[in-house]
Amino acid sequence: MAENKAAAGRISFVGTKIASGITEFAARLSKIDANLAKAIKSGTVQVVDYALYNVRNLGADTTVEAFQASDSKEVGITNLNKRQLEANTYFLVTGVQVLESATAIDNTHTLKNSEFGVIAADVANGEFELKVGDKVLIPRNSMELFKTPANTDKLVGYYELDCPKLISPLTDIVPWIYLPATTGNKALKIVLYGVKTNKA
């Protein structure tokens, strides 16, 4: 315990909401690459606030891989290539947000210009699962978890994890969405919040 507290005190970080994230990350330094852990302790590598996101058109699908191996970074669509973190990049997920497009995706309302908000019943009645590689980090659970409305002090559609999850570099990140019925060509925006390693 004392070692973790000491490590946390030496780690260089950037951000305003990072206190709990940096503490959780420090407690997991033994699980990451030893050289990278040493660089974090020395301040050569920082731990910073970060959010991974992807926008996915549901179309007529009821089982959806929200992040896909064919994805490429594109502003407004995703900030991940091939649904993987880059080499030497670790990410600790502290919360998940799921948002639903307000209108159907068509020639007028594209993925990039759609407005996203609280999920409706057609999505809330579904289930969510987060897999990383061959591990299930968040088992299938009701998407009612993400039905946080706009008139609260939390982010819309946000669910904070009591058990943050560490994601390793170059490993497939696959949020799965299971819906009871099609949604009329709506889209979902999945955001994973947390802290990640970043060169100083």
Side-chain angles (χ1 to χ4, degrees), residues 15 43 60 66 70 93 101 110 124 130 159 173 186 198:
S70 59
V93 185
S101 62
T110 65
L130 177 61
Y159 179 73
I173 304 168
K186 298 272 189 83
N198 192 63

Side-chain angles (χ1 to χ4, degrees), residues 119-134:
I119 59 176
D122 56 358
V123 172
N125 289 337
E127 297 179 351
F128 174 89
E129 178 184 67
L130 177 61
K131 292 188 69 175
V132 176
D134 59 356

Side-chain angles (χ1 to χ4, degrees), residues 80-120:
L80 269 181
N81 282 324
K82 300 178 180 178
R83 68 183 179 192
Q84 296 182 347
L85 297 170
E86 297 175 352
N88 298 316
T89 301
Y90 286 80
F91 180 61
L92 182 69
V93 185
T94 57
V96 180
Q97 182 183 41
V98 179
L99 302 170
E100 181 180 343
S101 62
T103 56
I105 305 303
D106 54 27
N107 293 333
T108 302
H109 298 94
T110 65
L111 289 176
K112 285 187 177 181
N113 68 14
S114 290
E115 180 180 350
F116 290 87
V118 63
I119 59 176

Side-chain angles (χ1 to χ4, degrees), residues 58-64 121-123 125-126 177-185:
L58 298 175
D61 295 331
T62 55
T63 300
V64 180
D122 56 358
V123 172
N125 289 337
I177 307 294
Y178 304 93
L179 300 173
T182 58
T183 64
N185 215 30

Side-chain angles (χ1 to χ4, degrees), residues 1 3 5 20 53 60 62 66 79 103 111 113 123 162 169 179:
M1 183 67 71
E3 181 181 349
K5 289 182 178 179
S20 61
Y53 75 93
T62 55
N79 61 351
T103 56
L111 289 176
N113 68 14
V123 172
D162 287 330
L179 300 173

